[in-house]
Amino acid sequence: MKDRYVFGISETGGSYLVRLVVPRFVARVERTEEGYPAPAEWGCRYILRSGEMFCDFDWLDPKPGEELRQSVLAEAEDAWLFFASVYRS
């Protein structure tokens, strides 16, 4: 699972997740702030157990149906949480 993703930091300090296998996507990773909704231009959001969210999706392949999308995003969440536990400590 973890070899399906690349994580990066932009020059402005933003965190990104890239899925390398179909369906491929790029998503920004942001902290969620209680009482402060994410800007509408971030589009679709997937809230993580850690209090972060994937947002501002760019699907590089045709966007999958709802069931597959939820499965892919759950896998991406597990990969992100693994990455965060290893590299943020």
Side-chain angles (χ1 to χ4, degrees), residues 68-83:
L68 178 57
R69 185 170 55 246
Q70 290 302 315
S71 173
V72 165
L73 293 176
E75 179 189 88
E77 177 178 12
D78 289 343
W80 174 258
L81 295 176
F82 172 79
F83 168 79

Side-chain angles (χ1 to χ4, degrees), residues 20-31:
L20 301 173
V21 296
V22 175
R24 298 170 301 157
F25 68 85
V26 177
R28 182 173 15 188
V29 183
E30 292 283 343
R31 292 262 337 136

Side-chain angles (χ1 to χ4, degrees), residues 2-3 7-8 13 19 23-24 29 36 38 51 60 72 75 87:
K2 294 164 197 71
D3 59 348
F7 307 95
R19 181 176 161 92
R24 298 170 301 157
V29 183
Y36 295 96
L60 306 173
V72 165
E75 179 189 88
Y87 295 102

Side-chain angles (χ1 to χ4, degrees), residues 3-77:
D3 59 348
R4 296 177 179 204
Y5 298 91
V6 173
F7 307 95
I9 307 295
S10 73
E11 65 278 357
T12 60
S15 298
Y16 288 85
L17 169 120
V18 179
R19 181 176 161 92
L20 301 173
V21 296
V22 175
R24 298 170 301 157
F25 68 85
V26 177
R28 182 173 15 188
V29 183
E30 292 283 343
R31 292 262 337 136
T32 57
E33 299 290 336
E34 191 172 318
Y36 295 96
E41 65 266 15
W42 287 1
C44 175
R45 294 179 282 285
Y46 182 85
I47 305 300
L48 309 180
R49 298 183 304 269
S50 63
E52 296 163 299
M53 68 177 160
F54 297 148
C55 58
D56 200 15
F57 286 87
D58 185 8
W59 291 93
L60 306 173
D61 296 305
K63 189 175 179 180
E66 184 64 27
E67 188 174 322
L68 178 57
R69 185 170 55 246
Q70 290 302 315
S71 173
V72 165
L73 293 176
E75 179 189 88
E77 177 178 12

